[in-house]
């Protein structure tokens, strides 16, 4: 286990202690259960970076309940079994909120563990902030009161992506679906097929492949080439997308990609010029110098926010708004009250308002569609390429109905 109390938090803790002479208030404790080693480290570390940024800002403004928020990191090593072990450790450490983003499979384990813990330990509930796990089941048949999803879902991304590409005349009539074979990838494939009629395209082939086990995507690229699609839509992320982009570039495959995680550092350089014209649908405008948030992030961390860092920062911004409505008088932290406040929080992100839908705790948020261009205003990966904003789909247009399978039991 890797435990980290942030430097600023520790300094603030010491200052408050000196001022009051005694530490009687219960600090809010956050546990980051993330992929901090193994193949998904590049993603897990960026989620953690965004979380730390958000916590630092809350602590700089005085913390919560008279104390700085404490942060502890737990490395799940990219596995559900390890995540379950780390959740038990976090619960034993007295963590109030667990946060995770990488992998819907791991999220499925954590949300089940949180639910069981809360049923067995009334009055000692733990809240789960899900930053990046987009499997529909998490707000469907696995939904529960203490799970909150601070990201989009497959239908939100696919609908925004196909609509924007069609409007730009760059979707075409033949689409190839390529995704990872687990809940998130299966949701992506279903969303791609479901959007076909509205998008005016035919799905010419659909492939689900093993997650994080494929070292050479050349055979998959050959299969894409044989199907002759106009566009490949993929929900691949982290190492699988990095290697897919590399194989695409090596093969010189001339096909447009519609993606969800192309902004991960390294993807553009791996693909080279092949990346030009590719699209991405996500929750943040990848042209950071135009954002006050991006400048603030850079002034504190030294770099503009990239990839999933904004999701962490925005989620902590929403938590901050919720905490401002609560006053525990320096006593014990009531997690159920934090959850109720989070339901009513409204956070103004650089791309629009983010709110929580009380019925299933899915955030209602805009979806941003961008395109890779040459001579970008903000070049990435040491290239002259970067992202150009195509369209921001408003939150009210991006959201989808609550799933019938969600039967949320509310407290009290």
């Amino acid at each position: 286990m890797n435990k980290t109390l942030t430097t600023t938090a520790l300094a603030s803790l010491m200052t408050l202690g000196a001022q009051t002479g005694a530490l009687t208030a219960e600090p809010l404790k956050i546990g980051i259960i993330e992929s901090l080693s193994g193949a998904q480290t590049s993603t897990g570390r960026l989620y953690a970076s965004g979380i730390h940024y958000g916590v630092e800002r809350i602590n700089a403004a005085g913390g919560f309940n008279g104390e700085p928020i404490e942060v502890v990191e737990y490395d799940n090593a990219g596995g559900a079994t390890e995540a379950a072990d780390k959740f038990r450790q976090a619960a034993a450490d007295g963590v109030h909120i667990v946060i995770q983003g990488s992998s819907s499979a791991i999220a499925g384990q954590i949300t089940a563990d949180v639910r069981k813990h809360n049923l067995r330990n009334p009055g000692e509930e733990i809240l789960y902030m899900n930053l990046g796990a987009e499997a529909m089941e998490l707000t469907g048949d696995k939904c529960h009161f203490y799970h909150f999803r601070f990201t989009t879902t497959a239908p939100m991304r696919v609908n925004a992506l196909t609509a924007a590409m069609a409007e730009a005349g760059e979707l075409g009539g033949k689409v190839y679906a390529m995704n990872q074979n687990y809940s998130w990838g299966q949701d992506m494939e279903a969303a791609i097929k479901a959007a076909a009629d509205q998008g005016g395209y035919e799905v010419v082939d659909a492939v689900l492949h093993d997650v994080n086990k494929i070292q050479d995507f050349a055979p998959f690229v050959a299969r894409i080439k044989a199907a002759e699609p106009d566009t490949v839509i993929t929900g691949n992320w982290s190492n699988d997308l990095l290697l897919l982009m590399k194989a695409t570039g090596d093969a010189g495959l001339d096909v447009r990609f519609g993606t969800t995680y192309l902004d991960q550092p390294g993807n553009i350089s791996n693909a080279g010029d092949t990346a030009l014209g590719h699209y991405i649908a996500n929750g943040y405008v990848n042209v950071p110098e135009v954002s006050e948030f991006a400048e603030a992030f850079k002034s504190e961390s030294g770099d503009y926010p990239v990839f999933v860092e904004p999701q962490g920062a925005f989620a902590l911004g929403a938590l901050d708004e919720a905490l401002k409505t609560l006053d525990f008088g320096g006593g014990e932290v009531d997690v159920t009250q934090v959850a109720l406040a989070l339901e009513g929080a409204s956070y103004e992100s650089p791309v629009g308002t983010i709110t929580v839908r009380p019925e299933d705790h899915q955030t209602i948020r805009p979806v941003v569609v961008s395109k890779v261009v040459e001579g970008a205003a903000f070049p990435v990966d040491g290239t002259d390429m970067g992202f150009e904003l195509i369209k921001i789909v408003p939150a009210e247009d991006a959201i989808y109905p609550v799933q019938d399978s969600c039967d949320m039991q509310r407290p009290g």
Side-chain angles (χ1 to χ4, degrees):
M1 180 180 70
N2 178 18
K3 294 184 176 182
T4 301
L5 180 63
T6 62
T7 303
T8 301
L10 182 58
S12 300
L13 184 65
M14 296 173 65
T15 301
L16 285 170
Q19 292 173 342
T20 62
L23 297 175
T24 56
E26 183 181 27
L28 180 69
K29 297 180 181 178
I30 290 176
I32 303 173
I33 304 178
E34 193 50 81
S35 302
L36 302 175
S37 66
Q40 310 300 349
T41 307
S42 58
T43 299
R45 181 44 63 191
L46 291 177
Y47 274 121
S49 173
I51 295 165
H52 282 297
Y53 169 80
V55 171
E56 296 283 358
R57 289 179 68 84
I58 297 174
N59 285 342
F64 174 67
N65 203 32
E67 294 288 327
I69 292 176
E70 296 180 6
V71 178
V72 183
E73 291 185 353
Y74 301 87
D75 179 12
N76 66 39
T81 301
E82 292 84 353
D85 291 340
K86 298 308 180 187
F87 174 76
R88 284 192 290 272
Q89 183 62 59
D93 290 344
V95 162
H96 301 102
I97 299 174
V98 295
I99 307 181
Q100 175 266 349
S102 305
S103 172
S104 288
I106 294 174
Q109 179 71 53
I110 292 176
T111 199
D113 289 344
V114 167
R115 180 177 178 277
K116 291 174 185 174
H117 170 89
N118 292 344
L119 288 173
R120 294 166 180 166
N121 299 276
E124 299 178 7
E125 287 84 359
I126 293 176
L127 189 154
Y128 172 28
M129 295 178 68
N130 165 10
L131 304 190
E134 303 194 17
M136 295 296 288
E137 63 183 8
L138 297 170
T139 50
D141 58 5
K142 291 184 177 180
C143 79
H144 62 83
F145 179 74
Y146 293 94
H147 167 264
F148 291 77
R149 173 150 58 197
F150 284 90
T151 185
T152 54
T153 61
M156 294 168 74
R157 296 213 198 210
V158 170
N159 292 341
L161 190 64
T162 54
M165 292 180 73
E167 286 178 16
E170 295 192 317
L171 178 63
K174 297 190 292 183
V175 167
Y176 191 103
M178 182 169 183
N179 293 285
Q180 295 154 315
N181 193 15
Y182 75 117
S183 50
W184 157 245
Q186 293 160 8
D187 285 343
M188 276 294 296
E189 182 176 299
I192 293 165
K193 292 178 177 177
D197 289 343
Q198 186 171 350
Y201 60 83
E202 171 194 4
V203 179
V204 294
D205 198 359
V207 173
L208 293 170
H209 61 78
D210 290 342
V211 184
N212 297 325
K213 294 181 179 178
I214 298 168
Q215 296 302 312
D216 181 7
F217 276 86
F220 292 92
V221 172
R223 181 168 168 177
I224 293 171
K225 190 174 184 179
E228 299 182 340
D230 299 306
T231 297
V232 177
I233 299 181
T234 180
N236 277 16
W237 59 281
S238 205
N239 223 39
D240 282 342
L241 184 58
L242 287 167
L243 294 176
L244 175 61
M245 287 292 102
K246 184 177 186 305
T248 301
D250 290 346
L253 180 65
D254 184 19
V255 65
R256 186 174 299 107
F257 275 75
T259 70
T260 53
Y261 296 103
L262 188 60
D263 54 340
Q264 180 183 3
N267 279 333
I268 301 298
S269 57
N270 270 340
D273 290 345
T274 304
L276 289 172
H278 290 357
Y279 280 73
I280 178 175
N282 63 355
Y284 178 62
V285 178
N286 295 289
V287 191
E289 70 265 35
V290 302
S291 165
E292 182 179 340
F293 155 73
E295 295 296 344
F297 192 99
K298 184 182 180 183
S299 70
E300 292 196 17
S301 68
D303 295 293
Y304 284 120
V306 296
F307 193 34
V308 296
E309 285 178 317
Q311 286 176 218
F314 297 168
L316 266 294
L319 177 63
D320 186 24
E321 294 301 321
L323 296 180
K324 288 175 181 175
T325 69
L326 298 171
D327 182 3
F328 296 141
E332 294 185 356
V333 173
D334 186 331
V335 171
T336 298
Q337 292 303 313
V338 174
L340 289 168
L342 199 54
E343 278 189 337
S346 178
Y347 177 68
E348 295 299 327
S349 82
V351 296
T353 306
I354 297 174
T355 59
V356 173
R357 183 163 59 186
E359 291 84 356
D360 61 353
H361 290 182
Q362 167 63 45
T363 46
I364 301 174
R365 56 198 300 137
V367 179
V368 180
V369 180
S370 307
K371 177 182 177 182
V372 180
V373 297
E374 281 185 302
F378 183 72
V380 299
D381 289 351
T383 72
D384 68 340
M385 295 181 288
F387 295 93
E388 176 184 84
L389 175 63
I390 301 299
K391 182 176 185 177
I392 297 178
V393 178
E396 59 272 22
D397 294 339
I399 197 60
Y400 57 95
V402 176
Q403 298 169 81
D404 292 338
S405 56
C406 178
D407 181 19
M408 182 180 291
Q409 303 300 310
R410 302 180 64 81

